[in-house]
């Protein structure tokens, strides 16, 4: 990680991790922040970075950075009104056609141009084009309400984690081992690439390379925010692992003797992709902060390591348990399609928690995010250097 440039005022970065439908949780956290701000229209995050579904949330904020509260309100309305067919084809013809093409291509080698994906995410592209005005990013940068916004994707040919960013001209590209930052004018294809979970959603071609979900090879999720100038970061995760202290290192959780289903295995793989690298990166950054405090700046060799303040807000409840309660709301075609692998059973709800883009599930995650953020009200206000505002309910979550 590169040290942030020295400035008189701290530059706050917002990091929104990936996680499919789990990203609804982030919207609740953002709504709480907007309610806590003395001026809800002021954007408190000059640097915004997102991956996968978090990239869509991040760019949505950046597009409306001139009016932060309104941007959060629009984002909340979208997630509260979500249905699965707005993200990927969930009707019988769409599911059968895509599954047949996937099996024919993957097992029989039929159709070389067939996208390698189980689901058709074309509806999501249409939704992004309809709802997002990307010109708002340039306007916010010009008026210095936004320093930069970035989304990360994974290049299938190069194997690199590529961060596409749009921001001030003074921000230089970076090149690290398998991690690069490229200035660009963000568009729908960058969001679709970042959100293309391997095998589930088709890869997206940008220029001469196909890209997929940025969480696949993003070993240092916090790094792009630091490269873009952030000196402190607020991380909104989609896993409660960091808060889970109920099981000690020598204890075992209750388990059954059944073999894991395909969905249960897939859930752990998705968690490994979206969650583990972020948690490891936070742990590494905390160790670097401890080292920076112990070693005086004049005794550090090379670059001076400055501590980076980190605040993490993560779910206080397991999201797969919440998803299991809403599994019957999945469209009938998908329920049948996912029944065999076990995703419609409680043990396979990990996969479901990423794919269940239904209003009731998303609304419950938004409410949880709002409550978890408000539970850390004092920390949030201290971190953002704001006086706790009386919650006016401008973008608060309805009961």
């Amino acid at each position: 990680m590169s040290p942030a440039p020295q400035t008189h005022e701290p530059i706050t970065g917002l990091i929104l991790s990936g996680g499919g439908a789990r990203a609804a949780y982030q919207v609740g956290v953002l709504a709480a922040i907007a309610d806590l701000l003395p001026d809800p229209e002021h954007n408190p995050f000059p640097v915004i970075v997102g991956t996968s579904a978090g990239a869509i949330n991040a760019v949505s904020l950046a597009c409306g950075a001139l009016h932060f509260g309104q941007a959060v309100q629009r984002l909340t309305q979208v997630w509260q009104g979500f249905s699965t067919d707005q993200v990927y084809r969930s009707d019988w013809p769409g599911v059968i056609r895509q599954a047949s093409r996937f099996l024919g291509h993957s097992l029989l080698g039929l159709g070389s141009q067939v996208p390698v994906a189980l689901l058709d995410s074309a509806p999501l592209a249409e939704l992004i084009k309809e709802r997002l005005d990307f010109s708002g990013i340039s306007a916010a940068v010009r008026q210095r309400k936004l320093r930069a916004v970035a989304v990360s994707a994974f290049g299938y040919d190069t194997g690199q984690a590529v961060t596409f960013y749009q921001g001030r001209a003074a921000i230089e590209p970076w090149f690290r081992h398998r991690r690069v930052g490229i200035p660009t004018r963000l568009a729908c294809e960058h969001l679709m690439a970042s959100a293309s979970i391997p095998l589930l959603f088709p890869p997206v071609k940008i220029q001469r390379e196909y890209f997929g979900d940025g969480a696949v090879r993003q070993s240092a999720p916090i790094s792009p925010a630091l490269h873009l100038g952030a000196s402190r970061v607020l991380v909104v995760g989609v896993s409660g692992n960091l808060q889970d202290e109920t099981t000690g290192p020598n204890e075992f959780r209750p388990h059954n003797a059944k073999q894991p289903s395909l969905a249960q295995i897939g859930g752990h793989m998705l968690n490994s992709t979206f969650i583990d690298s972020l948690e490891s990166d936070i742990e590494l950054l905390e160790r670097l902060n401890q080292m920076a405090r112990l070693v005086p700046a004049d005794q550090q060799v090379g670059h001076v390591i400055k501590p980076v303040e980190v605040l993490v807000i993560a779910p206080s409840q397991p999201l797969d348990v919440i998803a299991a309660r809403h599994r019957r709301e999945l469209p009938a075609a998908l329920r049948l399609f996912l029944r065999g692998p076990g995703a419609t059973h409680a043990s396979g709800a990990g996969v479901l928690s990423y794919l269940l883009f239904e209003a009731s599930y998303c609304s419950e995650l938004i409410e949880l995010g709002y409550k978890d953020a408000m539970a850390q009200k004092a920390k949030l206000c201290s971190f953002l250097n704001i006086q706790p505002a009386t919650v006016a309910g401008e973008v608060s979550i309805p009961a």
Side-chain angles (χ1 to χ4, degrees), residues 106-140:
S106 302
L107 299 182
L108 303 177
L110 302 177
S112 60
Q113 300 302 315
V114 175
V116 185
L118 281 167
L119 301 170
D120 181 359
S121 58
L124 178 59
E126 294 302 318
L127 181 67
I128 290 173
K129 293 175 183 177
E130 175 188 339
R131 296 299 182 97
L132 292 186
D133 179 8
F134 288 89
S135 65
I137 298 175
S138 299

Side-chain angles (χ1 to χ4, degrees), residues 20-31:
R22 289 177 172 225
Y25 175 86
Q26 299 167 351
V27 180
V29 175
L30 294 170

Side-chain angles (χ1 to χ4, degrees), residues 214-227:
V216 173
R217 293 298 293 269
Q218 195 177 40
S219 59
I222 298 176
S223 177
L226 304 184
H227 281 293

